Amino acid sequence: MSLSRRDFVSGVALGALGSTAGRALGAATIEPQQRMKAASTPIIVAAGNGRPYLERAYAQLKAGADTLESAIAVVTGPEDDPNDDSVGLGGLPNEEGVVELDASCMHGPSRRAGSVGGVRNIRNVSRLAREVMLHSGHVMLVGEGAERFALARGFVRENLLTEASRRTWLLWKETHSDWWGPGLADPAWKERLRGRRAAVELETLERLQVLAADLGIPPGERLAAAHKVLYPPTGTIHCSVLAANGEMSGITTTSGLAWKLPGRCGDTPVIGAGCYTDQDVGSAGATGSGEENIKVAGAHTIVENMRHGLPPLEAGMDALKRIVRNYNGDMERLRYVDMTYYILRKDGAYAGVSLWTGYEPGRPHTIAVHDGSARLEKTVSLYEGASQEWPPLVAPSQVPL
Ligand code: ASP
């Protein structure tokens, strides 16, 4: 069986605002067009995976909760969900099998910020970023120091690696290292060798599923695990909140890139890249290729663009175009970049913009919005089509240069 790759629709820059709208790309629950203006305040905007948690956060906000509290009520949803393998508990680990989490937040009214990077064993790093903001003289803590600070502040240490994430990591490890998996001294070495030899003769995706079975991954989960091994996934949640009294906050949290080098931090903990809020202007956050977003200081760029008069949509598109500029518009490379921005202006105008329409055909990038009614809306994309997963599964000689 050959590996089915995502269809690539060659990139066409959008000339007109909202030209992706109206096409039946997503599930029925995704609104076909972005509204871009709140029906009323308060308003919450978040990445699509925040949708199930909007109601509880909105109720808190209506009851007078602080905007950062309300944003945390959204993002702790995926952090606490062991089945969301991109954030918090159950996040896919680094190359050594250790879950490392990143988060950052900004509180508009007090003009304060907090962030943590590469944190192990602490589930709710969104709350931890707020603790750094409230209870230290620093803005950013990383690694062991951040973990020790968390324990001092009463957080509980726990193993964040779920059984499903551990097995998927093992599958990656056994296929990316010569010395993992049964060796010559294994009593069943001949059978295993025979099985593996048969497996390597099959094409990649099928081979990975054979090995997944060997690792005890349930049949219904083997294809997904194999896919995650081939294309290290990312995933994150951002949330920005505007209260009825005009106060704003933003927060972003992630387990980052699967199988990353230990210590790798993406854009999420970088104030100004993964998250930025200015009480005078608005708030923005990011999900997607962290390394690319750091280089354009995406969230800060967007807020500054709004400060200088650009509407949220154009402010976000400009940040995306800076990523494009960093590659001189080279579509052979840009097709592997995935970037989405969530933008909320102080007056309730908002936008969700993405470099590509979605991850794959029929699965558009979305922004979750609550302004009295909760919904998912499609982002407006700079290029039409699906981003490609990295790394490409073809021999280097076949990669077009
Ligand atoms: N931006 C995150 C990171 O690079 C990943 C993501 O949003 O998917 O760590």
Side-chain angles (χ1 to χ4, degrees), residues 292-314:
E292 304 310 329
N293 190 37
I294 290 173
K295 290 185 281 182
V296 299
H300 182 261
T301 293
I302 289 167
V303 171
E304 288 307 299
N305 282 342
M306 290 196 290
R307 188 195 308 280
H308 295 117
L310 285 189
L313 181 94
E314 279 76 15

Side-chain angles (χ1 to χ4, degrees), residues 118-188:
V119 181
R120 301 178 171 195
N121 306 310
I122 305 294
R123 177 196 298 206
N124 293 125
V125 284
S126 59
R127 289 190 195 284
L128 184 57
R130 186 187 54 176
E131 291 288 298
V132 171
M133 180 186 90
L134 292 178
H135 300 289
S136 82
H138 306 303
V139 166
M140 187 173 201
L141 291 179
V142 300
E144 195 191 331
E147 184 179 336
R148 280 163 41 185
F149 177 78
L151 297 179
R153 292 297 314 164
F155 284 69
V156 176
R157 245 177 143 260
E158 63 184 311
N159 179 14
L160 302 176
L161 192 64
T162 55
E163 197 50 22
S165 291
R166 187 182 67 81
R167 286 179 200 262
T168 308
W169 166 71
L170 271 182
L171 182 61
W172 177 79
K173 197 75 178 167
E174 289 201 15
T175 51
H176 288 74
S177 163
D178 290 340
W179 299 109
W180 281 70
L184 199 56
D186 189 278

Side-chain angles (χ1 to χ4, degrees), residues 102 234-236 254-257 264-268 286-291 339 359:
D102 307 325
T234 55
T236 299
T254 190
S255 57
L257 179 64
R264 177 264 186 191
C265 284
D267 55 332
T268 300
T287 63
S289 310
E291 281 74 6
M339 200 66 237
Y359 299 113

Side-chain angles (χ1 to χ4, degrees), residues 44-360:
I44 302 174
V45 302
N49 49 345
R51 171 68 184 86
Y53 311 101
L54 290 180
E55 294 292 0
R56 76 177 186 196
Y58 195 78
Q60 286 183 15
L61 199 55
K62 289 283 265 189
D66 178 72
T67 46
L68 187 53
E69 265 305 312
S70 167
I72 285 175
V74 173
V75 303
T76 48
E79 278 184 345
D80 289 336
D81 180 358
N83 297 316
D84 186 325
D85 64 13
S86 69
V87 180
L89 177 67
L92 291 171
N94 66 20
E95 66 175 14
E96 293 174 355
V98 181
V99 179
E100 288 184 338
L101 306 177
D102 307 325
S104 65
C105 67
M106 288 192 83
H107 185 244
S110 64
R111 300 182 186 277
R112 297 172 84 185
S115 103
V116 289
V119 181
R120 301 178 171 195
N121 306 310
I122 305 294
R123 177 196 298 206
N124 293 125
V125 284
S126 59
R127 289 190 195 284
L128 184 57
R130 186 187 54 176
E131 291 288 298
V132 171
M133 180 186 90
L134 292 178
H135 300 289
S136 82
H138 306 303
V139 166
M140 187 173 201
L141 291 179
V142 300
E144 195 191 331
E147 184 179 336
R148 280 163 41 185
F149 177 78
L151 297 179
R153 292 297 314 164
F155 284 69
V156 176
R157 245 177 143 260
E158 63 184 311
N159 179 14
L160 302 176
L161 192 64
T162 55
E163 197 50 22
S165 291
R166 187 182 67 81
R167 286 179 200 262
T168 308
W169 166 71
L170 271 182
L171 182 61
W172 177 79
K173 197 75 178 167
E174 289 201 15
T175 51
H176 288 74
S177 163
D178 290 340
W179 299 109
W180 281 70
L184 199 56
D186 189 278
W189 72 279
K190 273 194 177 166
E191 291 77 5
R192 286 180 181 274
L193 203 59
R194 224 174 278 129
R196 280 168 185 261
R197 193 172 290 155
V200 291
E201 280 160 13
L202 302 169
E203 288 201 40
T204 312
L205 197 55
E206 195 160 334
R207 173 165 65 98
L208 280 165
Q209 290 180 85
V210 170
L211 297 179
D214 199 30
L215 283 167
I217 295 176
E221 294 166 25
R222 285 175 200 159
L223 183 60
H227 199 261
K228 286 170 190 168
V229 165
L230 293 174
Y231 305 111
T234 55
T236 299
I237 179 161
H238 167 78
C239 182
S240 284
V241 173
L242 169 65
N245 66 1
E247 293 186 357
M248 304 191 79
S249 288
I251 194 160
T252 309
T253 176
T254 190
S255 57
L257 179 64
W259 335 132
K260 61 193 173 186
L261 296 186
R264 177 264 186 191
C265 284
D267 55 332
T268 300
V270 180
I271 301 283
C275 181
Y276 196 76
T277 304
D278 185 319
Q279 183 57 51
D280 296 339
V281 180
S283 183
T287 63
S289 310
E291 281 74 6
E292 304 310 329
N293 190 37
I294 290 173
K295 290 185 281 182
V296 299
H300 182 261
T301 293
I302 289 167
V303 171
E304 288 307 299
N305 282 342
M306 290 196 290
R307 188 195 308 280
H308 295 117
L310 285 189
L313 181 94
E314 279 76 15
M317 284 294 174
D318 172 70
L320 292 171
K321 285 175 187 165
R322 292 180 193 215
I323 294 175
V324 172
R325 174 66 186 83
N326 280 347
Y327 285 105
N328 293 319
D330 180 354
M331 300 311 293
E332 290 298 338
R333 298 194 211 200
L334 288 166
R335 63 183 179 166
Y336 297 111
V337 176
D338 182 58
M339 200 66 237
T340 301
Y341 293 119
Y342 312 88
I343 308 158
L344 179 58
R345 202 170 59 187
K346 193 175 159 33
D347 63 352
Y350 66 90
V353 301
S354 51
L355 190 61
W356 295 97
T357 314
Y359 299 113
E360 56 200 49

